[in-house]
Amino acid sequence: DVLPLALSRSTWRLLVGDEPTIEDLAAADVATAECVRQLSDVEALGVTASDFEDCFGELNFVYHNSSGEQVPLLEGGADMRVTFENAKRFAKLIEHMRAHEAAEHVGCLRAGMATVVPIGCFALWTWRDLEARVCGNPQINLELLRKKAYYEGVSETAQHVQFMWQVLEAMDDEDRQHF
């Protein structure tokens, strides 16, 4: 059996002991990932120390988590100003906070999964492998579905049934999953 879990890429990575990437953050929150990218390399944007605040505004070492709450990124962060010189550190702290904000929950998931699968096995899988083993293959095999379909009170050759199959064939995998 498989479970219909909708977990973020970062969560799957943490479950197998991998460090989430900026791409994983972008899959969940494009705006934050772009903010981290820009602050990590302000020089590439042509920003200088003298115009940093004009470009980025007044920032302190706090950032919102995934539920929108402001979180200090370090002790006293609410009173510490982000500058051109410490922007890279700010970006790293944002990325780390967002990647690990659910660490306690991931720990609970790992503990629960460890009652079924030895925890050492997690390191043998990629995050995608673990997701596929837990949730199953997200791609829907229409040929197999058509072969296993059971029709009750309607004929397989009925026009509306044929229309349904045509629509399913025209859909991409994501649309089929939502159907």
Side-chain angles (χ1 to χ4, degrees), residues 6 13-14 30 39 79 114 117 146:
R13 278 195 194 274
L14 291 168
V30 174
L39 287 164
D79 299 320
V117 178
R146 185 174 253 175

Side-chain angles (χ1 to χ4, degrees), residues 44-112:
L45 299 172
V47 176
T48 63
S50 61
D51 60 0
F52 178 84
E53 199 168 291
D54 292 335
C55 294
F56 289 98
E58 293 181 11
L59 298 172
N60 291 344
F61 273 77
V62 294
Y63 201 79
H64 64 274
N65 61 17
S66 61
S67 65
E69 299 169 10
Q70 290 291 328
V71 176
L73 299 175
L74 42 83
E75 191 173 329
D79 299 320
M80 184 181 221
R81 189 66 116 217
V82 178
T83 64
F84 178 84
E85 291 76 22
N86 64 19
K88 286 181 184 171
R89 181 174 184 218
F90 179 61
K92 287 281 184 214
L93 289 169
I94 292 170
E95 186 176 3
H96 184 269
M97 181 269 293
R98 289 300 303 272
H100 297 278
E101 67 183 328
E104 183 180 341
H105 300 100
V106 171
C108 292
L109 282 169
R110 265 178 83 86

Side-chain angles (χ1 to χ4, degrees), residues 153-166:
V154 67
S155 168
E156 174 181 352
T157 58
Q159 188 177 24
H160 63 282
V161 171
Q162 294 306 307
F163 285 149
M164 178 195 70
W165 288 115
Q166 289 172 5

